[in-house]
């Protein structure tokens, strides 16, 4: 039977406009868990990076340039509101759910670190046992529950923002907008010229958001690879 990340699949179905770009990453992780467990860790990392890069700007989080993978996920968890609206114990619910989500994150980090111990992920001597298959299954399950839950909270619940916080505007995404303009060039209509990024932002904000999330994810992944190489 093929392995399925059921919660992430449900997230994509519930939020097709926002989550459709997760599909190839989900499919890659499912395949790696099923038949290529050595690649599971990098596929999980991609999905976690997508959560960082998508949710953090929505929450107004700015990570330090050298922030590590666990620190970025912890920052997202600390900023989200997990309470239940109008419940008399909303604050208590938030505290306990936040602790639960943080514990899932800690387990995923521990598995990732254990997988990086020599001979534990890719194997060494044929006489040594590895946890390759067990790692892939456990790490995939943790990723499925954690990433899908964080996206669902971020997309389905109102966020508790500071009173002084201002809603995101076009100018807040200068790096992505410049990249989009470079790739697509100017848009000309009836003799007038417009920036491609602004046209997309005004006419299809969900597409702009989805493209922005994908761009930030790839940029974050490139930064992580540079850090590991260093």
């Amino acid at each position: 039977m093929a392995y399925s990340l059921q919660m992430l699949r449900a997230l994509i179905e519930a939020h097709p406009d926002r989550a459709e770009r997760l599909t190839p990453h989900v499919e890659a992780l499912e395949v790696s868990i099923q038949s290529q467990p050595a690649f599971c860790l990098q596929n999980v990392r991609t999905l976690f990076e997508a959560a960082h890069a998508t949710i953090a700007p929505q929450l107004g989080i700015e990570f330090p340039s050298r922030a590590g993978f666990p620190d970025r996920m912890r920052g997202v968890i600390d900023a989200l509101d997990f309470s239940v609206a109008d419940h008399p114990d909303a604050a208590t619910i938030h505290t306990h759910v936040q602790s639960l989500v943080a514990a899932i994150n800690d387990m995923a980090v521990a598995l990732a670190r254990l997988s990086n111990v020599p001979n534990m992920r890719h194997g060494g001597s044929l006489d040594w046992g590895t946890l390759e298959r067990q790692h892939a299954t456990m790490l995939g399950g943790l990723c499925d529950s954690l990433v899908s839950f964080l996206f669902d909270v971020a997309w389905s619940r109102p966020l508790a923002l500071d009173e002084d916080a201002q809603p995101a505007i076009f100018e807040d995404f200068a790096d992505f907008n410049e990249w989009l303009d470079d790739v697509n060039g100017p848009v000309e209509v009836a003799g007038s010229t417009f920036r491609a990024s602004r046209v997309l932002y005004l006419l299809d904000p969900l597409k702009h958001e989805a493209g922005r999330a994908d761009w930030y994810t790839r940029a974050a992944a490139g930064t992580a690879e540079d850090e590991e190489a260093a």
Side-chain angles (χ1 to χ4, degrees):
M1 177 182 292
Y3 189 96
S4 176
L5 298 167
Q6 298 182 17
M7 297 183 71
L8 281 168
R9 291 284 184 180
L11 177 80
I12 293 170
E13 183 176 349
H15 302 277
D17 292 334
R18 286 177 161 179
E20 180 61 32
R21 288 176 176 267
L22 289 175
T23 300
H25 303 308
V26 169
E27 292 175 346
L29 179 54
E30 290 171 339
V31 169
S32 66
I33 293 172
Q34 184 75 20
S35 58
Q36 299 174 315
F39 296 100
C40 178
L41 185 59
Q42 66 191 54
N43 291 324
V44 165
R45 186 185 185 100
T46 298
L47 284 167
F48 276 21
E49 292 285 1
H52 302 161
T54 305
I55 299 175
Q58 181 178 341
L59 297 172
I61 301 174
E62 293 185 6
F63 297 118
S65 59
R66 303 295 293 182
F69 179 85
D71 295 332
R72 292 194 294 271
M73 182 60 86
R74 175 69 72 167
V76 169
I77 292 172
D78 289 344
L80 280 171
D81 178 13
F82 298 106
S83 63
V84 175
D86 301 324
H87 194 285
D89 295 318
T92 301
I93 292 172
H94 167 77
T95 298
H96 292 325
V97 174
Q98 186 180 62
S99 297
L100 175 61
V101 174
I104 296 174
N105 178 58
D106 290 342
M107 286 189 287
V109 170
L111 275 172
R113 288 173 174 168
L114 185 59
S115 295
N116 283 327
V117 173
N119 307 312
M120 291 297 291
R121 177 155 48 116
H122 300 293
S125 168
L126 295 180
D127 294 329
W128 296 341
T130 71
L131 298 178
E132 186 177 73
R133 180 70 63 185
Q134 293 92 326
H135 278 177
T137 303
M138 289 188 290
L139 196 54
L142 292 172
C143 177
D144 189 24
S145 60
L146 180 57
V147 172
S148 61
F149 181 67
L150 292 179
F151 271 125
D152 195 47
V153 170
W155 290 342
S156 301
R157 301 186 182 190
L159 299 175
L161 299 176
D162 294 336
E163 293 182 359
D164 295 334
Q166 298 296 321
I169 58 176
F170 174 79
E171 286 74 16
D172 290 339
F173 314 111
D175 291 345
F176 170 69
N177 291 333
E178 289 176 7
W179 174 83
L180 202 61
D181 292 338
D182 289 341
V183 171
N184 295 277
V187 176
E188 295 185 3
V189 179
S192 297
T193 302
F194 305 93
R195 295 180 61 182
S197 56
R198 182 172 288 278
V199 171
L200 184 63
Y201 180 81
L202 294 175
L203 297 183
D204 198 339
L206 284 178
K207 284 288 187 181
H208 188 276
E209 179 184 349
R212 196 167 70 239
D214 184 61
W215 184 81
Y216 283 127
T217 298
R218 287 186 280 110
T223 300
E225 290 175 359
D226 292 341
E227 292 176 358
E228 291 176 356

